[in-house]
Amino acid sequence: MSDPSDPSAPSAPSAPSAPSSLYDPSSSYDPSSSYDPSSSYEPREPRLPSPASAPSKIRILLADDHALVRRGVRLILDREPDLEVVAEAGDGAEAIDMARAHEADLAVLDIAMPRLTGLQAARELAALKPGLRILMLTMHDNEQYLFQALKSGACGYVLKSVADRDLVAACRAAMRDEPFLYPGAVTALIRNYLDRVRHGEETSDHILTPREEEVLKLVAEGHSSKEIAEILFISIKTVQRHRANLLQKLGLRDRLELTRYAIRAGLIEP
């Protein structure tokens, strides 16, 4: 048995030291390290999609002189997720004012309205807002109104009697730069084209030169040979020669018949 007082005796193995991370009772309490409820975890709000990622709605200006009709049409349009009526007008003049005051992509116009008709308003809107699409919504199943609407800048013609069926499709077609016509209107256009071909009018695009068309338009607008010469920077004799060629090519006799032909050909408005 070894003597504990003997320095040469082997010492007993020492106990392993406690890890430094364990609680040390000798350490003093630090109040600043106490739990702070204000520093508790706050969950982040869910990220919402940016407005730019949401599909934009087609903004519509609606004009009709009957409030009940406007209300019914608005119900048809506003129930669609991509359509929104942003302004209403009770006549053509007010429609132009609303177009100035509101940003609209599409105007839906009645034809028969006080102060300015829908046709007159369409011409004004086409000049005021070249990017604005225009639809005519009317009770008139009438070829004359149809052709006047197309000449006024409308890209579609919808009958009120079938608005619940056709209007939404017509709005979307207009925004795709596609024309929309009810079946009867298509028939009228085909019949009109065939009539013009039958009377030889459709060949004018091939037999008239661009200069002759310019002279024809100015003659039909009532300009004299001298005025036409000044506008086109050509001589009076050249104007007279073009006029003679027009009469011969088209088989016409005088200025009045040239004017009627220019109206039918769409070179001037009646």
Side-chain angles (χ1 to χ4, degrees):
M1 181 174 182
S2 61
D3 183 0
S5 62
D6 184 1
S8 62
S11 60
S14 60
S17 60
S20 60
S21 59
L22 296 178
Y23 169 71
D24 183 3
S26 64
S27 62
S28 61
Y29 171 70
D30 183 5
S32 64
S33 64
S34 62
Y35 169 71
D36 182 6
S38 65
S39 64
S40 60
Y41 170 75
E42 295 182 2
R44 293 183 179 179
E45 295 183 359
R47 181 176 297 177
L48 299 176
S50 62
S53 63
S56 59
K57 291 188 175 184
I58 299 172
R59 299 165 297 183
I60 299 173
L61 163 62
L62 174 61
D64 194 291
D65 57 325
H66 294 95
L68 287 177
V69 173
R70 290 201 308 272
R71 186 181 304 171
V73 173
R74 182 163 194 156
L75 287 174
I76 294 174
L77 298 174
D78 281 346
R79 70 188 180 192
E80 299 298 323
D82 57 333
L83 305 178
E84 179 184 14
V85 176
V86 296
E88 292 186 25
D91 58 57
E94 188 180 3
I96 296 172
D97 293 338
M98 290 295 102
R100 289 192 177 102
H102 297 81
E103 289 295 328
D105 306 303
L106 173 68
V108 178
L109 309 176
D110 183 22
I111 286 183
M113 292 189 292
R115 293 207 291 171
L116 284 180
T117 68
L119 297 173
Q120 293 169 325
R123 285 192 287 268
E124 294 287 339
L125 290 173
L128 178 67
K129 300 265 187 175
L132 181 69
R133 277 77 165 184
I134 300 172
L135 283 178
M136 306 309 298
L137 178 63
T138 178
M139 60 182 292
H140 300 290
D141 185 358
N142 182 293
E143 291 183 19
Q144 181 180 359
Y145 281 136
L146 167 64
F147 293 126
Q148 289 181 8
L150 297 179
K151 288 179 181 179
S152 299
C155 60
Y157 195 95
V158 181
L159 296 179
K160 289 182 179 179
S161 59
V162 289
D164 57 338
R165 183 193 70 193
D166 289 349
L167 183 57
V168 170
C171 291
R172 291 169 179 159
M175 296 310 298
R176 296 193 301 267
D177 288 326
E178 298 175 2
F180 187 95
L181 301 173
Y182 66 98
V186 176
T187 302
L189 286 174
I190 295 173
R191 182 167 55 247
N192 178 265
Y193 174 80
L194 293 176
D195 287 344
R196 294 174 66 183
V197 170
R198 191 177 301 113
H199 291 89
E201 296 178 14
E202 278 305 307
T203 60
S204 63
D205 292 340
H206 304 288
I207 65 176
L208 297 185
T209 66
R211 177 65 82 187
E212 287 171 342
E213 284 193 354
E214 292 173 348
V215 172
L216 171 60
K217 184 179 187 327
L218 293 171
V219 168
E221 289 176 348
H223 294 282
S224 66
S225 295
K226 180 180 179 182
E227 292 171 337
I228 295 173
E230 293 174 351
I231 293 171
L232 299 180
F233 300 100
I234 56 179
S235 68
I236 295 177
K237 288 185 177 180
T238 303
V239 173
Q240 293 172 343
R241 186 174 68 250
H242 283 313
R243 180 182 295 185
N245 289 340
L246 286 168
L247 293 172
Q248 181 182 3
K249 286 183 177 182
L250 300 176
L252 305 177
R253 294 173 297 179
D254 53 28
R255 175 195 287 266
L256 179 59
E257 291 190 351
L258 283 175
T259 301
R260 289 173 176 168
Y261 177 88
I263 292 174
R264 291 196 303 270
L267 295 176
I268 64 170
E269 294 185 356

